[in-house]
Amino acid sequence: MSIPTVEIAPSVLAANFARLGEDIAAVERGGARMLHVDVMDGHFVPNISIGVPVVSSLRKATTLVLDVHLMIAAPERYVEAFADAGADMISVHQEATPHLDRVLAAIQERDIEAGVVINPATPVAALSEVLPAVDFVLVMSVNPGFGGQKFIPGSLEKLRQLKELRSRYNYDYRIEVDGGLGPDNVAEAVRAGAEIIVAGTSVFHTPDPAEAVRRMRQMASEALAQKV
Ligand code: DX5
Ligand code: ZN
């Protein structure tokens, strides 16, 4: 077993798209090693965000791990394009495709980490058939589509369940949580089992995004030290 770590993954959805490069440089200074990229199609979720060209540009601008969260219907249509654009991790929603196993395999065939995402109304049990194969599981702690929403406390129980299933069956996925996270609840999420914490508003809508990442990383590692 490798040394446990927690990553803060700033969500570019909350960044200033007119100066994305500077915002990314700031979170790099704060110690971020990942960047969370929200792709929305106005169909699976009621909002439209960014797509393949932005991921390509990000790839040229940073060496951070690009964690691409596809909130799109039938994501199997776009795995190839996001892989070519330079994604390191791609996650797809359980609710978005009847071909979940196929799309996860297609992601891994490209040597990209494959993640499955569940909405707040979807139980962990819906993932039983894919948990042995996925590289990470993303628990939505808000309804997907918008930044700046309030964390849904019931998500903590899902994180605990995923941790417990992993140790019971010896699975090796990482556990990620997304939505409404910040200094007030990062420790709680880590203690429940989260290893990747997505944070948009609480990083980029602050006067000092570098400091916001630094502070949350610190809180996360303290919580981890208490846990183990
Ligand atoms: C919501 C997105 C999130 C969002 C999180 O649909 O998946 O990644 O950017 O934003 P905050 O941290 O503001 O809740
Ligand atoms: Zn996201």
Side-chain angles (χ1 to χ4, degrees):
M1 183 97 179
S2 53
I3 301 159
T5 50
V6 177
E7 298 295 339
I8 304 297
S11 171
V12 295
L13 188 65
N16 181 339
F17 286 106
R19 42 152 225 250
L20 208 42
E22 292 160 51
D23 277 4
I24 292 166
V27 298
E28 282 177 347
R29 281 199 304 280
R33 292 191 287 201
M34 291 175 63
L35 211 54
H36 184 82
V37 186
D38 289 308
V39 177
M40 303 179 185
D41 66 353
H43 180 64
F44 177 68
V45 289
N47 196 7
I48 297 176
S49 58
I50 53 169
V52 175
V54 176
V55 174
S56 301
S57 301
L58 289 171
R59 181 70 299 156
K60 292 182 195 109
T62 181
T63 56
L64 294 180
V65 170
L66 295 181
D67 169 31
V68 177
H69 175 192
L70 297 182
M71 285 163 275
I72 65 177
E76 53 275 6
R77 294 173 300 166
Y78 292 99
V79 165
E80 207 60 28
F82 283 103
D84 289 342
D88 299 294
M89 301 164 66
I90 297 179
S91 58
V92 298
H93 274 256
Q94 185 274 344
E95 307 86 359
T97 174
H99 303 294
L100 189 57
D101 183 76
R102 179 185 289 154
V103 61
L104 292 168
I107 296 167
Q108 288 171 333
E109 270 161 30
R110 294 292 310 250
D111 277 330
I112 291 168
E113 282 191 39
V116 64
V117 195
I118 46 173
N119 279 338
T122 305
V124 168
L127 300 180
S128 60
E129 305 310 304
V130 297
L131 288 183
V134 289
D135 298 298
F136 64 106
V137 180
L138 170 47
V139 172
M140 286 308 302
S141 42
V142 298
N143 284 292
F146 303 93
Q149 302 180 77
K150 204 171 154 338
F151 181 84
I152 298 171
S155 320
L156 293 170
E157 184 50 34
K158 291 186 184 177
L159 300 174
R160 286 186 208 107
Q161 286 173 21
L162 284 163
K163 191 167 64 152
E164 144 72 15
L165 288 167
R166 182 174 59 191
S167 68
R168 194 188 316 159
Y169 296 107
N170 231 353
Y171 296 148
D172 61 7
Y173 50 76
R174 284 193 289 169
I175 304 171
E176 179 172 19
V177 62
D178 181 9
L181 287 143
D184 294 345
N185 53 11
V186 64
E188 210 177 6
V190 169
R191 283 195 297 264
E195 291 142 343
I196 303 170
I197 308 276
V198 178
T201 304
S202 63
V203 168
F204 290 111
H205 293 194
T206 62
D208 188 348
E211 178 53 27
V213 173
R214 218 171 281 130
R215 184 159 168 239
M216 270 191 272
R217 276 175 65 84
Q218 178 67 28
M219 293 174 127
S221 49
E222 281 166 17
L224 198 62
Q226 284 166 17
K227 202 181 76 169
V228 285

